[in-house]
Amino acid sequence: MNQLAPKLILASGILLLAATAQALDPLFDAAVNYAVGVEPYSIFSADFDGDGDFDLATANWSSGDVSILLNNGDGTFAPAISYGTGDAPFSIFSADLDGDNDYDLATASFSYDYVSVYLNNGDGTFAAEVDYDVGSAPTSVFATDLDGDSDNDLAVAVSNHGRVAILKNHGNGTFAQAVMYDTDAGPYAVFAEDFDGDGDKDLAVPNYISDNVSILKNNGDGTFAPAVNYLAGETPFIVFSADFDGDGDYDLAVGNDTSNDISILINDGSGIFALADSYTAVTQPQSIFAADLDGDGDQDLAVTDVGTNDVVILLNITGDGTFASAGNYGTGDTPVTVFAADFDGDADFDLAVANYHSNDVSILLNQSGPYAVCGDIDGSGGINILDVTHLVNYLYKNVPDPICQ
C-alpha cells in the first residue's frame, strides 16, 4: 500500500496535506502537592505579586480561610500564607476590583451568607476582608464588567434562594447592595460570557435541583432578562464556557454529579443552546476548566473526578466540539476544583487541583510540547506553500521524506 495515501488528497489539481498535531505522551507530569488550609473547595490562579508568573489562591472550607501560594517562577510554589474569611468559603475568584491594576479576591461563604472582598496591597498580600450580604448559601462568585462601566462587578449563585445576586462595583472595590434575579431550583455555579454576541456579559447558571442551566441575558446595563432554561444531565453542579466548535461564539460544558457525565451545549450564535452530546469518561465530575491543553488551537477539557481521585482530560479531537478521553492523571484525595494556567513559563497550560480531603493542591505540569506538525518542513507551525513544494519535490525528485512516521 502506498504510504502517502492517508496523507494526501488530490483534487482539481490542488495538492492538500492533512496535518495532524502530535503531542508527546503523557500530556502531564505526575502531580506535585502543596499544603493549604483545611478542606480546600475552590482554586483560582492570577499574578498576585506582580512578578509575571501565576500564583494560586484556595478557599478552604473547614479552616475558614484563603491560602495564597506564590509561584517561584518555575511552577514550584512557596509555602501557603493564610487570610481569614467567613465560615465555609465555598468559591474564590480573582480580578482587579479597585482599579489599581493588581488582582484582588472575592470569596463566597456558604454558611455566612455573604461574599467577602480582599483588596491586594500590590505585592500579593491582602487587606482585611469587607463583607457583602447576598442571601442564604452562596455557592459561586464570578467577577466581570456587567454594566459596561469598565470595572468588575460580582455575580453570585445563591443556592437556597434560587437566584443569582448582582453586586455592582462603585469603581473603587466597594459594591452596591445585591440585586436578585431568579434562576431555577438550586443554582450552584455562575459563569459570565457574551453568549448572544451583543458586547455585554450574560450569565449561565447550572441548577442542581431542576437539572437545567439558566441563561440570563444582559440588557446592556447590568440588569438581566428573565432566565431561559436548557436541560442538562442529572444534578448539574458546574459550568464552563468556551468556543468548543470553533464558530466564534461561546458554548457550554456542564458537569452533572448524579448522571456522572459532561453535557456539551452548543450555542447557535444568538445565545440559544442545544444539547449536542454527553460524555461519560468521568465517574463523579466536580469541576471543569477549558483550555488548549494539547496545543492544537482548540478548547479541550480538564475535569476533576472525585470518584477516582483523578483529573480527566477530554481532548477536542477535530475542533468541532466533539471530545475523546486522553487519560486520567492522579491528584490528591477528593479533587474538587481544577484551574489551568502556564505555571512554569513554557507556553503551555498546566493544571492546579484543589484536593478537599488531603488538604493540598496538586500541580501537574504540561509536557506535551513541542508540537510536531506532519509535513511542516520549514518549522512554521502549519502547512504552507513551501511545505507543499517540498512534498512535490519528494514525489518526483527524491528529496527527504516530509511525512511524519
Side-chain angles (χ1 to χ4, degrees), residues 45-68:
S45 181
D47 183 9
F48 297 126
D49 56 0
D51 63 353
D53 51 39
F54 288 94
D55 310 304
L56 294 172
T58 64
N60 308 310
W61 172 274
S62 289
S63 52
D65 56 13
V66 166
S67 294
I68 302 296

Side-chain angles (χ1 to χ4, degrees), residues 161-175:
H161 287 316
R163 295 175 178 175
V164 61
I166 303 300
L167 295 87
K168 291 187 179 181
N169 195 333
H170 293 136
N172 60 358
T174 65
F175 293 84

Side-chain angles (χ1 to χ4, degrees), residues 63-290:
S63 52
D65 56 13
V66 166
S67 294
I68 302 296
L69 296 89
L70 297 181
N71 195 332
N72 295 319
D74 58 358
T76 65
F77 292 83
I81 299 171
S82 295
Y83 296 85
T85 72
D87 187 32
F90 204 79
S91 174
I92 192 166
F93 202 98
S94 181
D96 181 9
L97 300 177
D98 56 358
D100 62 354
N101 297 315
D102 53 35
Y103 287 94
D104 309 303
L105 296 172
T107 63
S109 292
F110 182 84
S111 297
Y112 272 16
D113 301 343
Y114 55 64
V115 292
S116 300
V117 171
Y118 300 79
L119 297 182
N120 194 332
N121 296 318
D123 57 359
T125 65
F126 293 85
E129 68 186 87
V130 178
D131 302 325
Y132 298 87
D133 182 47
V134 293
S136 179
T139 49
S140 178
V141 59
F142 197 106
T144 190
D145 182 10
L146 297 173
D147 55 1
D149 63 353
S150 300
D151 53 37
N152 288 306
D153 311 300
L154 300 177
V156 184
V158 186
S159 61
N160 284 356
H161 287 316
R163 295 175 178 175
V164 61
I166 303 300
L167 295 87
K168 291 187 179 181
N169 195 333
H170 293 136
N172 60 358
T174 65
F175 293 84
Q177 183 176 351
V179 177
M180 300 293 189
Y181 295 88
D182 290 336
T183 61
D184 211 335
Y188 204 78
V190 61
F191 200 104
E193 192 49 87
D194 183 9
F195 297 125
D196 54 2
D198 64 353
D200 51 40
K201 295 297 177 68
D202 312 302
L203 302 176
V205 180
N207 304 296
Y208 71 94
I209 295 175
S210 51
D211 294 339
N212 55 18
V213 178
S214 294
I215 301 297
L216 295 88
K217 290 186 179 180
N218 196 329
N219 296 318
D221 58 359
T223 65
F224 292 85
V228 177
N229 300 319
Y230 297 89
L231 287 177
E234 295 180 58
T235 321
F237 272 167
I238 48 175
V239 65
F240 201 100
S241 181
D243 182 10
F244 296 124
D245 56 0
D247 64 352
D249 53 39
Y250 291 95
D251 311 303
L252 299 175
V254 181
N256 307 300
D257 185 68
T258 300
S259 53
N260 298 326
D261 55 9
I262 305 297
S263 299
I264 302 298
L265 286 77
I266 296 299
N267 192 340
D268 71 355
S270 66
I272 297 174
F273 293 85
L275 180 61
D277 212 340
S278 295
Y279 297 89
T280 57
V282 290
T283 59
Q284 197 173 354
Q286 289 291 296
S287 173
I288 300 174
F289 202 101

